[in-house]
Amino acid sequence: MPNFEHPEYPEATLLHLESMVPCRESQVSSLLSVFGERQHFSFPSIFIYGHTSSGKTYVMQTLLETLELPHVFVNCVECFTSRLLLEEILTQLQNLSSENKHGSHVPCDTFNDFVRLFKQEIITQELQNQTVYIVLDKAEQLREMEANVLPGFLRLQEMTDRNVTVVFLSEIVWELFRPNTGCLEPFTLYFPDYSIVCRDLKELRHLAALNFTKYCEPVVRGEANERDTRRLWKNIESHLKKAMQTVYLREISSSQWERIQQDDGEPGHLKGLSAHAHVELPYYSKFLLIAAYLASYNPARTDKRFFLKHHGKIKKTNFLKKHEKTSNHLLGPKPFPLDRLLAILYSIVDNKVAPTANIFSQCGTCYTDWKEPCLLPIPLLNRSAGVLFLPWHILPQETKGSNTM
Amino acid sequence: MSKRKSKETSSVNGECISQVQRILRERFCHQCPNGKLFGVQLQYKHLLELLKRTTIHGESNSALIIGPRGSGKTMLLNHVLKELMEVKQVRENLLQVHLNGLLQTNDKIALKEITRQLQMENVVGDKVFGSFAENLAFLLEALKKGDRDSSCPVLFILDEFDLFVHHKNQTLLYNLFDISQSAQTPVTVIGLTCRQDILELLEKRVKSRFSHRQIYLLNSFDFKQYLKIFKEQLSLPTEFLYKPFTQKWNKNVQSLSEDRTVQDVLRNHFHCSKDLRSLHMLLMLALSSITVSHPFMTGSDLLEASKLYRMDSKANIVHGLSVLEICLIIAMKHLNDVYEGEPFNFQMVYNEFQKFIQRKAHSMYNFEKPVVMKSWMRLQHFNFSFSSSESLSQKRSMVDKLC
């Protein structure tokens, strides 16, 4: 006796459907009851939201295909402009009931043309008596298209005067979609995640596939039996920690990971992607980098105190006292002018530095030669002074001890 | 004998339920023109008078129907048109052009649509017109056909009127209102909009040509009338095929409207949003639970429907986040409170998170910074925080605000 009851569809189909959508029975039964019978009207638009990998696309596709309802399935990331989207819907609609699966391309520029062509197409396909479903996956992309696309789709049933329901699948809640002047509200349905433990199915699958063999190792070696979860956990714990740093962050690829596992040695030095970011810099470039770091994080007032031999005290103004809480580190780097950078450089390098072209070229190469630009010049033309005023902006990096002096 | 009888009644029920669903779904989802209007008698009379004057007496006019979303503007207009079409003279003469601000996004498309709806494509052919006004004048001139000395009355209906005011120079609106003031063809322009401040959006020259006739639909009914509306909307029409079922159904609806739980549900709903469209959605949800084994609606159906309708979506999404992400959200909220809504960046949130970890060292694993960064990016993807400024520096220094 299947969980789903529906007068329209045969029991066998419903049983088959139930077997294909585990743990999603309540959502599927709500959808079935909302859809109703084939010729009945349904909500003009339905909005389904839920986390990544909570099964929205899969369940929708399975439901529509198993029950053989006429539908059009479009991914809004694939068809990222309105023209692509509308043409894709019309093309798929053409292919719905024709034997020739490659229908001709239908040009469609505007939503106006779309409505007209859609109406004609429904009549030629003789689908007036059935609900046609248009499913728009990754619907958050619709917000980036023209302003009339989203409200237009919400009202498609009214505008075309046909039996059509538009289903939106998205990870983002409806409140962030709603246009400013309001619109026809869709029926919202939530797909909860599968369980407390497993949140992101794709991620989990990836990691589980990689780590499962290691997990089973003690059992294979005969040290523990299958139910001895504590022992298995102890074995796998350090391994998972290592995995968190590397595979989870996509620092090393899964094939590399598998190879390391097979070697079965202690994964001593895993050379991840971030390791390649450590570069040995030439002498002056190192100092330049340090000078730039100091310039970007220290306010200009404090230069006098740090870099001159005879300095006075700095009085703390009221403004400073109020904002003592937020340290400069938290707020991020600030832009600074080129001469300040050079001034700090001269004061931190021990021996005398000649302002040669060498230094200036190193400023430039810091930006161009390295794969990751450290110094980013923002040219600003100061017309009144007649001088190219170049504030430099340093991007903070993980300086993992590569700059040894 | 009794078995056969019960089989008969059950088969009748199956077909009967299907018909009930069909009728009510069409009423709730598709707004069929046979529905009844509530509380808008004055506006109905006003609009009917206006249109009669155009179609029968040949006067030109313009009007705006203003009301919030779901208050019944389109439905009112459709009802009026239906009654008007019963008059023979109107049916034979009146030409209607329906434009929608969502579809005709600029004046060129609008003009092509007008040509198409007036079925003048052959007449216009390949002619090239200098301006919008010339084109429109040509179309109206061409409406005088045959031996008629005056042309047929034309009704322009502009849905989502507030979108037309954003077109360049408001050319379409200017020309339409212009011909409604000056031309010999009897032309009426009716605009439907949800914006109350629509008149401020019109340009001066457009506003002066508009007749300033406004019809307001303001959902001005109280809870008692709302209950009556609920009863009428849910009742089956008397012409329905299965008479005994109709009587039982309608009696059930009557008892529902007197039930305390149902009244509470409806009162909550009424306090949230008065308009009929949301009532329709609620009734539709309750209707979807009607099957052969459950042929009459109960109070619990309505309660379930109400819960489903008013689910808090943000709470649902937060429920699905991982522990680390929830910690980050708590850190962001804390920062928001301390700094009173100032923007923050990842570094600040990470510091808060570290402070929390140090206090409760054993309850949570201390994740590394890149792992926390990945959770942060995920939260941004779900639009929990959005960046308030375009900054050139890397992701770590991006300033964000909590949604």
mmCIF file of all heavy atoms in Angstrom, chain A residues 33-34 40-41 49 51 111-112 143 148 161 171-172 175 181 185 190 193 199 248 330, chain B residues 18 25 30 69 102-104 113 281 313 316-317 320-321 345 351 374 381-383:
data_model
loop_
_atom_site.group_PDB
_atom_site.id
_atom_site.type_symbol
_atom_site.label_atom_id
_atom_site.label_comp_id
_atom_site.label_asym_id
_atom_site.label_seq_id
_atom_site.Cartn_x
_atom_site.Cartn_y
_atom_site.Cartn_z
ATOM 1 N N SER A 33 -0.712 16.570 -4.173
ATOM 2 C CA SER A 33 -2.050 17.089 -3.866
ATOM 3 C C SER A 33 -2.244 18.479 -4.444
ATOM 4 O O SER A 33 -3.339 18.833 -4.848
ATOM 5 C CB SER A 33 -2.291 17.097 -2.364
ATOM 6 O OG SER A 33 -1.345 17.897 -1.726
ATOM 7 N N VAL A 34 -1.173 19.261 -4.530
ATOM 8 C CA VAL A 34 -1.309 20.606 -5.106
ATOM 9 C C VAL A 34 -1.506 20.511 -6.613
ATOM 10 O O VAL A 34 -2.296 21.253 -7.195
ATOM 11 C CB VAL A 34 -0.063 21.459 -4.772
ATOM 12 C CG1 VAL A 34 0.051 22.645 -5.684
ATOM 13 C CG2 VAL A 34 -0.125 21.925 -3.345
ATOM 14 N N HIS A 40 -6.868 19.805 -14.043
ATOM 15 C CA HIS A 40 -7.218 20.820 -13.076
ATOM 16 C C HIS A 40 -6.212 21.951 -13.082
ATOM 17 O O HIS A 40 -5.045 21.767 -13.395
ATOM 18 C CB HIS A 40 -7.243 20.224 -11.667
ATOM 19 C CG HIS A 40 -8.420 19.347 -11.434
ATOM 20 N ND1 HIS A 40 -8.500 18.475 -10.389
ATOM 21 C CD2 HIS A 40 -9.568 19.215 -12.113
ATOM 22 C CE1 HIS A 40 -9.655 17.839 -10.435
ATOM 23 N NE2 HIS A 40 -10.326 18.267 -11.471
ATOM 24 N N PHE A 41 -6.691 23.118 -12.655
ATOM 25 C CA PHE A 41 -5.772 24.224 -12.486
ATOM 26 C C PHE A 41 -4.986 24.036 -11.197
ATOM 27 O O PHE A 41 -5.452 23.420 -10.256
ATOM 28 C CB PHE A 41 -6.543 25.547 -12.386
ATOM 29 C CG PHE A 41 -6.876 26.119 -13.721
ATOM 30 C CD1 PHE A 41 -8.106 25.891 -14.290
ATOM 31 C CD2 PHE A 41 -5.952 26.868 -14.418
ATOM 32 C CE1 PHE A 41 -8.419 26.416 -15.522
ATOM 33 C CE2 PHE A 41 -6.251 27.390 -15.656
ATOM 34 C CZ PHE A 41 -7.486 27.161 -16.212
ATOM 35 N N TYR A 49 12.230 25.936 -2.018
ATOM 36 C CA TYR A 49 13.557 26.346 -1.575
ATOM 37 C C TYR A 49 14.084 25.337 -0.572
ATOM 38 O O TYR A 49 13.330 24.637 0.093
ATOM 39 C CB TYR A 49 13.512 27.747 -0.966
ATOM 40 C CG TYR A 49 12.708 27.864 0.307
ATOM 41 C CD1 TYR A 49 13.334 27.920 1.536
ATOM 42 C CD2 TYR A 49 11.318 27.919 0.279
ATOM 43 C CE1 TYR A 49 12.608 28.034 2.699
ATOM 44 C CE2 TYR A 49 10.589 28.031 1.435
ATOM 45 C CZ TYR A 49 11.233 28.094 2.646
ATOM 46 O OH TYR A 49 10.502 28.204 3.800
ATOM 47 N N HIS A 51 18.277 23.816 1.130
ATOM 48 C CA HIS A 51 19.727 23.910 1.033
ATOM 49 C C HIS A 51 20.263 23.180 -0.174
ATOM 50 O O HIS A 51 19.555 22.464 -0.866
ATOM 51 C CB HIS A 51 20.346 23.321 2.303
ATOM 52 C CG HIS A 51 20.418 24.322 3.397
ATOM 53 N ND1 HIS A 51 21.408 25.276 3.451
ATOM 54 C CD2 HIS A 51 19.608 24.555 4.441
ATOM 55 C CE1 HIS A 51 21.199 26.035 4.510
ATOM 56 N NE2 HIS A 51 20.120 25.622 5.126
ATOM 57 N N PHE A 111 9.689 39.341 -23.928
ATOM 58 C CA PHE A 111 8.689 38.573 -23.180
ATOM 59 C C PHE A 111 7.344 38.641 -23.881
ATOM 60 O O PHE A 111 6.555 37.699 -23.813
ATOM 61 C CB PHE A 111 8.585 39.149 -21.763
ATOM 62 C CG PHE A 111 8.181 38.121 -20.761
ATOM 63 C CD1 PHE A 111 9.099 37.262 -20.214
ATOM 64 C CD2 PHE A 111 6.850 37.991 -20.373
ATOM 65 C CE1 PHE A 111 8.732 36.302 -19.306
ATOM 66 C CE2 PHE A 111 6.469 37.027 -19.466
ATOM 67 C CZ PHE A 111 7.410 36.179 -18.932
ATOM 68 N N ASN A 112 7.100 39.727 -24.570
ATOM 69 C CA ASN A 112 5.853 39.889 -25.311
ATOM 70 C C ASN A 112 5.717 38.809 -26.375
ATOM 71 O O ASN A 112 4.700 38.125 -26.485
ATOM 72 C CB ASN A 112 5.860 41.275 -25.966
ATOM 73 C CG ASN A 112 4.486 41.683 -26.411
ATOM 74 O OD1 ASN A 112 3.494 41.168 -25.924
ATOM 75 N ND2 ASN A 112 4.426 42.589 -27.358
ATOM 76 N N ARG A 143 17.014 37.003 -10.798
ATOM 77 C CA ARG A 143 17.084 38.352 -10.242
ATOM 78 C C ARG A 143 18.066 39.209 -11.013
ATOM 79 O O ARG A 143 17.994 40.439 -10.977
ATOM 80 C CB ARG A 143 17.504 38.299 -8.776
ATOM 81 C CG ARG A 143 16.537 37.544 -7.901
ATOM 82 C CD ARG A 143 16.972 37.550 -6.476
ATOM 83 N NE ARG A 143 18.234 36.861 -6.287
ATOM 84 C CZ ARG A 143 18.900 36.847 -5.143
ATOM 85 N NH1 ARG A 143 18.443 37.491 -4.112
ATOM 86 N NH2 ARG A 143 20.034 36.200 -5.037
ATOM 87 N N ASN A 148 11.480 42.607 -15.751
ATOM 88 C CA ASN A 148 10.130 42.106 -16.002
ATOM 89 C C ASN A 148 10.069 40.591 -16.102
ATOM 90 O O ASN A 148 8.989 40.021 -16.189
ATOM 91 C CB ASN A 148 9.558 42.733 -17.281
ATOM 92 C CG ASN A 148 10.284 42.260 -18.518
ATOM 93 O OD1 ASN A 148 11.454 41.919 -18.456
ATOM 94 N ND2 ASN A 148 9.590 42.222 -19.637
ATOM 95 N N ASP A 161 -3.387 33.019 -20.297
ATOM 96 C CA ASP A 161 -4.735 32.456 -20.187
ATOM 97 C C ASP A 161 -4.739 30.967 -20.525
ATOM 98 O O ASP A 161 -5.629 30.459 -21.204
ATOM 99 C CB ASP A 161 -5.689 33.223 -21.118
ATOM 100 C CG ASP A 161 -7.135 32.996 -20.716
ATOM 101 O OD1 ASP A 161 -7.376 32.664 -19.542
ATOM 102 O OD2 ASP A 161 -8.005 33.117 -21.591
ATOM 103 N N GLU A 171 17.934 28.109 -3.734
ATOM 104 C CA GLU A 171 18.478 27.925 -2.388
ATOM 105 C C GLU A 171 18.212 29.128 -1.516
ATOM 106 O O GLU A 171 18.451 29.077 -0.323
ATOM 107 C CB GLU A 171 19.994 27.739 -2.475
ATOM 108 C CG GLU A 171 20.366 26.421 -3.082
ATOM 109 C CD GLU A 171 21.849 26.306 -3.284
ATOM 110 O OE1 GLU A 171 22.588 27.217 -2.889
ATOM 111 O OE2 GLU A 171 22.268 25.286 -3.837
ATOM 112 N N ILE A 172 17.756 30.196 -2.131
ATOM 113 C CA ILE A 172 17.604 31.451 -1.392
ATOM 114 C C ILE A 172 16.122 31.673 -1.119
ATOM 115 O O ILE A 172 15.278 31.340 -1.936
ATOM 116 C CB ILE A 172 18.210 32.595 -2.220
ATOM 117 C CG1 ILE A 172 19.682 32.290 -2.409
ATOM 118 C CG2 ILE A 172 18.035 33.924 -1.547
ATOM 119 C CD1 ILE A 172 20.418 33.351 -3.140
ATOM 120 N N GLU A 175 11.737 35.831 0.298
ATOM 121 C CA GLU A 175 11.721 37.247 0.679
ATOM 122 C C GLU A 175 12.770 38.055 -0.063
ATOM 123 O O GLU A 175 12.594 39.253 -0.294
ATOM 124 C CB GLU A 175 11.964 37.402 2.190
ATOM 125 C CG GLU A 175 10.741 37.173 3.046
ATOM 126 C CD GLU A 175 10.449 35.723 3.230
ATOM 127 O OE1 GLU A 175 11.377 34.929 3.064
ATOM 128 O OE2 GLU A 175 9.294 35.379 3.515
ATOM 129 N N THR A 181 7.618 46.598 -5.975
ATOM 130 C CA THR A 181 6.212 46.987 -5.957
ATOM 131 C C THR A 181 5.295 45.789 -5.765
ATOM 132 O O THR A 181 4.125 45.861 -6.025
ATOM 133 C CB THR A 181 5.842 47.678 -7.273
ATOM 134 O OG1 THR A 181 6.301 46.865 -8.344
ATOM 135 C CG2 THR A 181 6.440 49.042 -7.356
ATOM 136 N N GLU A 185 2.119 36.444 -5.406
ATOM 137 C CA GLU A 185 2.932 35.611 -4.538
ATOM 138 C C GLU A 185 2.805 34.140 -4.906
ATOM 139 O O GLU A 185 1.710 33.647 -5.126
ATOM 140 C CB GLU A 185 2.477 35.797 -3.081
ATOM 141 C CG GLU A 185 2.635 37.208 -2.585
ATOM 142 C CD GLU A 185 4.057 37.515 -2.178
ATOM 143 O OE1 GLU A 185 4.700 36.626 -1.640
ATOM 144 O OE2 GLU A 185 4.502 38.639 -2.435
ATOM 145 N N TYR A 190 9.104 24.162 1.404
ATOM 146 C CA TYR A 190 10.468 24.011 1.908
ATOM 147 C C TYR A 190 10.885 22.546 1.817
ATOM 148 O O TYR A 190 10.133 21.649 2.189
ATOM 149 C CB TYR A 190 10.518 24.490 3.355
ATOM 150 C CG TYR A 190 11.832 24.271 4.040
ATOM 151 C CD1 TYR A 190 13.002 24.817 3.516
ATOM 152 C CD2 TYR A 190 11.927 23.540 5.210
ATOM 153 C CE1 TYR A 190 14.212 24.624 4.134
ATOM 154 C CE2 TYR A 190 13.137 23.351 5.841
ATOM 155 C CZ TYR A 190 14.277 23.893 5.309
ATOM 156 O OH TYR A 190 15.481 23.710 5.928
ATOM 157 N N ASP A 193 16.652 19.587 4.924
ATOM 158 C CA ASP A 193 17.814 18.754 4.646
ATOM 159 C C ASP A 193 17.574 17.368 5.226
ATOM 160 O O ASP A 193 16.728 17.172 6.076
ATOM 161 C CB ASP A 193 19.057 19.372 5.275
ATOM 162 C CG ASP A 193 18.681 20.199 6.466
ATOM 163 O OD1 ASP A 193 18.170 21.305 6.253
ATOM 164 O OD2 ASP A 193 18.854 19.735 7.586
ATOM 165 N N ARG A 199 24.664 17.125 5.959
ATOM 166 C CA ARG A 199 24.096 18.371 5.460
ATOM 167 C C ARG A 199 24.260 18.495 3.968
ATOM 168 O O ARG A 199 23.326 18.593 3.212
ATOM 169 C CB ARG A 199 24.830 19.561 6.115
ATOM 170 C CG ARG A 199 24.487 19.730 7.546
ATOM 171 C CD ARG A 199 23.080 20.230 7.690
ATOM 172 N NE ARG A 199 22.432 19.625 8.830
ATOM 173 C CZ ARG A 199 22.035 20.259 9.905
ATOM 174 N NH1 ARG A 199 22.181 21.532 9.983
ATOM 175 N NH2 ARG A 199 21.476 19.634 10.894
ATOM 176 N N TYR A 248 38.987 18.991 1.798
ATOM 177 C CA TYR A 248 37.815 19.848 1.986
ATOM 178 C C TYR A 248 38.028 21.211 1.372
ATOM 179 O O TYR A 248 37.125 21.813 0.824
ATOM 180 C CB TYR A 248 37.531 19.963 3.485
ATOM 181 C CG TYR A 248 36.296 20.742 3.816
ATOM 182 C CD1 TYR A 248 35.037 20.322 3.406
ATOM 183 C CD2 TYR A 248 36.369 21.903 4.551
ATOM 184 C CE1 TYR A 248 33.905 21.029 3.719
ATOM 185 C CE2 TYR A 248 35.244 22.612 4.883
ATOM 186 C CZ TYR A 248 34.025 22.167 4.471
ATOM 187 O OH TYR A 248 32.905 22.867 4.798
ATOM 188 N N LEU A 330 41.841 44.483 11.961
ATOM 189 C CA LEU A 330 40.525 43.982 11.588
ATOM 190 C C LEU A 330 39.949 44.733 10.410
ATOM 191 O O LEU A 330 39.185 44.197 9.642
ATOM 192 C CB LEU A 330 39.574 44.107 12.780
ATOM 193 C CG LEU A 330 39.932 43.238 13.974
ATOM 194 C CD1 LEU A 330 38.907 43.448 15.066
ATOM 195 C CD2 LEU A 330 39.959 41.784 13.575
ATOM 196 N N SER B 18 -13.899 15.054 -8.200
ATOM 197 C CA SER B 18 -13.095 15.606 -9.283
ATOM 198 C C SER B 18 -13.713 16.884 -9.825
ATOM 199 O O SER B 18 -13.018 17.886 -10.065
ATOM 200 C CB SER B 18 -12.970 14.550 -10.386
ATOM 201 O OG SER B 18 -12.381 15.094 -11.517
ATOM 202 N N ARG B 25 -10.853 24.928 -7.956
ATOM 203 C CA ARG B 25 -9.504 25.319 -8.346
ATOM 204 C C ARG B 25 -9.528 26.431 -9.367
ATOM 205 O O ARG B 25 -8.710 27.343 -9.329
ATOM 206 C CB ARG B 25 -8.755 24.123 -8.929
ATOM 207 C CG ARG B 25 -8.053 23.334 -7.887
ATOM 208 C CD ARG B 25 -7.640 22.001 -8.438
ATOM 209 N NE ARG B 25 -7.097 21.189 -7.392
ATOM 210 C CZ ARG B 25 -5.798 20.986 -7.216
ATOM 211 N NH1 ARG B 25 -4.934 21.536 -8.013
ATOM 212 N NH2 ARG B 25 -5.383 20.228 -6.216
ATOM 213 N N HIS B 30 -7.417 30.547 -10.987
ATOM 214 C CA HIS B 30 -7.439 31.154 -12.300
ATOM 215 C C HIS B 30 -8.359 32.367 -12.384
ATOM 216 O O HIS B 30 -8.453 32.999 -13.412
ATOM 217 C CB HIS B 30 -7.861 30.106 -13.337
ATOM 218 C CG HIS B 30 -7.529 30.506 -14.725
ATOM 219 N ND1 HIS B 30 -6.242 30.758 -15.136
ATOM 220 C CD2 HIS B 30 -8.301 30.715 -15.800
ATOM 221 C CE1 HIS B 30 -6.259 31.087 -16.413
ATOM 222 N NE2 HIS B 30 -7.480 31.071 -16.848
ATOM 223 N N ARG B 69 -1.978 45.166 -4.350
ATOM 224 C CA ARG B 69 -1.937 43.890 -5.065
ATOM 225 C C ARG B 69 -3.016 42.956 -4.517
ATOM 226 O O ARG B 69 -3.171 42.815 -3.316
ATOM 227 C CB ARG B 69 -0.581 43.215 -4.856
ATOM 228 C CG ARG B 69 0.544 43.977 -5.462
ATOM 229 C CD ARG B 69 0.913 43.428 -6.788
ATOM 230 N NE ARG B 69 1.943 44.254 -7.406
ATOM 231 C CZ ARG B 69 2.098 44.377 -8.698
ATOM 232 N NH1 ARG B 69 1.308 43.735 -9.511
ATOM 233 N NH2 ARG B 69 3.061 45.124 -9.195
ATOM 234 N N LEU B 102 4.401 44.717 -18.078
ATOM 235 C CA LEU B 102 5.455 43.712 -17.983
ATOM 236 C C LEU B 102 5.851 43.185 -19.355
ATOM 237 O O LEU B 102 6.973 42.747 -19.563
ATOM 238 C CB LEU B 102 4.973 42.532 -17.131
ATOM 239 C CG LEU B 102 4.849 42.782 -15.651
ATOM 240 C CD1 LEU B 102 4.222 41.570 -14.998
ATOM 241 C CD2 LEU B 102 6.200 43.044 -15.031
ATOM 242 N N LEU B 103 4.894 43.189 -20.298
ATOM 243 C CA LEU B 103 5.187 42.630 -21.602
ATOM 244 C C LEU B 103 5.721 43.679 -22.565
ATOM 245 O O LEU B 103 6.722 43.470 -23.235
ATOM 246 C CB LEU B 103 3.922 42.013 -22.204
ATOM 247 C CG LEU B 103 3.327 40.863 -21.401
ATOM 248 C CD1 LEU B 103 2.060 40.386 -22.060
ATOM 249 C CD2 LEU B 103 4.309 39.736 -21.292
ATOM 250 N N GLN B 104 5.033 44.814 -22.636
ATOM 251 C CA GLN B 104 5.481 45.848 -23.564
ATOM 252 C C GLN B 104 6.418 46.775 -22.826
ATOM 253 O O GLN B 104 5.990 47.742 -22.191
ATOM 254 C CB GLN B 104 4.278 46.645 -24.102
ATOM 255 C CG GLN B 104 3.488 45.896 -25.144
ATOM 256 C CD GLN B 104 2.403 45.053 -24.508
ATOM 257 O OE1 GLN B 104 1.757 45.481 -23.590
ATOM 258 N NE2 GLN B 104 2.217 43.861 -25.021
ATOM 259 N N GLU B 113 2.189 46.019 -30.754
ATOM 260 C CA GLU B 113 1.120 45.242 -30.124
ATOM 261 C C GLU B 113 -0.238 45.868 -30.397
ATOM 262 O O GLU B 113 -1.210 45.166 -30.677
ATOM 263 C CB GLU B 113 1.393 45.169 -28.618
ATOM 264 C CG GLU B 113 0.485 44.233 -27.861
ATOM 265 C CD GLU B 113 0.637 42.792 -28.251
ATOM 266 O OE1 GLU B 113 1.719 42.405 -28.717
ATOM 267 O OE2 GLU B 113 -0.349 42.048 -28.129
ATOM 268 N N MET B 281 -5.381 31.578 -1.796
ATOM 269 C CA MET B 281 -4.269 30.648 -1.675
ATOM 270 C C MET B 281 -4.496 29.725 -0.481
ATOM 271 O O MET B 281 -4.241 28.522 -0.551
ATOM 272 C CB MET B 281 -2.944 31.398 -1.516
ATOM 273 C CG MET B 281 -1.779 30.497 -1.836
ATOM 274 S SD MET B 281 -0.180 31.205 -1.586
ATOM 275 C CE MET B 281 -0.035 32.214 -3.007
ATOM 276 N N SER B 313 10.339 31.234 6.444
ATOM 277 C CA SER B 313 11.329 30.635 5.554
ATOM 278 C C SER B 313 12.748 30.833 6.060
ATOM 279 O O SER B 313 13.594 29.962 5.917
ATOM 280 C CB SER B 313 11.191 31.217 4.157
ATOM 281 O OG SER B 313 11.190 32.620 4.242
ATOM 282 N N ASN B 316 13.630 28.313 8.564
ATOM 283 C CA ASN B 316 13.868 27.013 7.944
ATOM 284 C C ASN B 316 15.276 26.893 7.416
ATOM 285 O O ASN B 316 15.935 25.875 7.574
ATOM 286 C CB ASN B 316 12.889 26.808 6.782
ATOM 287 C CG ASN B 316 11.523 26.423 7.285
ATOM 288 O OD1 ASN B 316 11.393 25.884 8.368
ATOM 289 N ND2 ASN B 316 10.508 26.701 6.502
ATOM 290 N N ILE B 317 15.738 27.939 6.763
ATOM 291 C CA ILE B 317 17.069 27.885 6.179
ATOM 292 C C ILE B 317 18.113 27.810 7.286
ATOM 293 O O ILE B 317 19.087 27.061 7.192
ATOM 294 C CB ILE B 317 17.311 29.110 5.283
ATOM 295 C CG1 ILE B 317 16.496 28.975 4.003
ATOM 296 C CG2 ILE B 317 18.762 29.270 4.948
ATOM 297 C CD1 ILE B 317 17.074 28.039 3.000
ATOM 298 N N GLY B 320 18.865 24.494 8.592
ATOM 299 C CA GLY B 320 19.644 23.578 7.780
ATOM 300 C C GLY B 320 21.127 23.863 7.753
ATOM 301 O O GLY B 320 21.879 23.195 7.055
ATOM 302 N N LEU B 321 21.589 24.834 8.493
ATOM 303 C CA LEU B 321 23.006 25.163 8.426
ATOM 304 C C LEU B 321 23.812 24.276 9.363
ATOM 305 O O LEU B 321 23.308 23.762 10.341
ATOM 306 C CB LEU B 321 23.214 26.615 8.850
ATOM 307 C CG LEU B 321 22.621 27.668 7.932
ATOM 308 C CD1 LEU B 321 22.819 29.027 8.547
ATOM 309 C CD2 LEU B 321 23.287 27.631 6.573
ATOM 310 N N ASN B 345 33.884 42.784 8.707
ATOM 311 C CA ASN B 345 34.502 41.906 7.712
ATOM 312 C C ASN B 345 34.859 40.569 8.351
ATOM 313 O O ASN B 345 34.633 40.354 9.539
ATOM 314 C CB ASN B 345 35.717 42.574 7.064
ATOM 315 C CG ASN B 345 36.794 42.872 8.075
ATOM 316 O OD1 ASN B 345 36.868 42.240 9.123
ATOM 317 N ND2 ASN B 345 37.627 43.842 7.777
ATOM 318 N N ASN B 351 37.689 36.652 14.744
ATOM 319 C CA ASN B 351 38.158 36.948 16.105
ATOM 320 C C ASN B 351 37.113 36.624 17.144
ATOM 321 O O ASN B 351 37.405 36.034 18.183
ATOM 322 C CB ASN B 351 38.538 38.426 16.215
ATOM 323 C CG ASN B 351 39.952 38.652 15.762
ATOM 324 O OD1 ASN B 351 40.577 37.745 15.245
ATOM 325 N ND2 ASN B 351 40.448 39.846 15.967
ATOM 326 N N LYS B 374 35.667 29.014 4.260
ATOM 327 C CA LYS B 374 34.753 28.339 3.334
ATOM 328 C C LYS B 374 33.313 28.438 3.826
ATOM 329 O O LYS B 374 32.394 28.669 3.032
ATOM 330 C CB LYS B 374 35.173 26.868 3.198
ATOM 331 C CG LYS B 374 34.398 26.155 2.121
ATOM 332 C CD LYS B 374 35.071 24.876 1.682
ATOM 333 C CE LYS B 374 34.153 24.139 0.711
ATOM 334 N NZ LYS B 374 34.708 22.921 0.199
ATOM 335 N N HIS B 381 26.759 33.103 0.035
ATOM 336 C CA HIS B 381 25.984 32.558 -1.062
ATOM 337 C C HIS B 381 24.500 32.528 -0.720
ATOM 338 O O HIS B 381 23.643 32.765 -1.568
ATOM 339 C CB HIS B 381 26.493 31.148 -1.363
ATOM 340 C CG HIS B 381 25.678 30.424 -2.367
ATOM 341 N ND1 HIS B 381 25.595 30.803 -3.689
ATOM 342 C CD2 HIS B 381 24.887 29.349 -2.263
ATOM 343 C CE1 HIS B 381 24.807 29.981 -4.332
ATOM 344 N NE2 HIS B 381 24.357 29.087 -3.501
ATOM 345 N N PHE B 382 24.184 32.218 0.535
ATOM 346 C CA PHE B 382 22.789 32.189 0.935
ATOM 347 C C PHE B 382 22.252 33.566 1.263
ATOM 348 O O PHE B 382 21.150 33.695 1.755
ATOM 349 C CB PHE B 382 22.607 31.310 2.190
ATOM 350 C CG PHE B 382 22.643 29.859 1.887
ATOM 351 C CD1 PHE B 382 23.574 29.045 2.483
ATOM 352 C CD2 PHE B 382 21.749 29.305 1.000
ATOM 353 C CE1 PHE B 382 23.618 27.700 2.193
ATOM 354 C CE2 PHE B 382 21.782 27.962 0.710
ATOM 355 C CZ PHE B 382 22.733 27.162 1.308
ATOM 356 N N ASN B 383 23.041 34.618 0.969
ATOM 357 C CA ASN B 383 22.587 35.983 1.202
ATOM 358 C C ASN B 383 22.284 36.272 2.657
ATOM 359 O O ASN B 383 21.376 37.027 2.962
ATOM 360 C CB ASN B 383 21.338 36.309 0.382
ATOM 361 C CG ASN B 383 21.684 36.654 -1.042
ATOM 362 O OD1 ASN B 383 21.007 36.258 -1.955
ATOM 363 N ND2 ASN B 383 22.748 37.382 -1.210
#
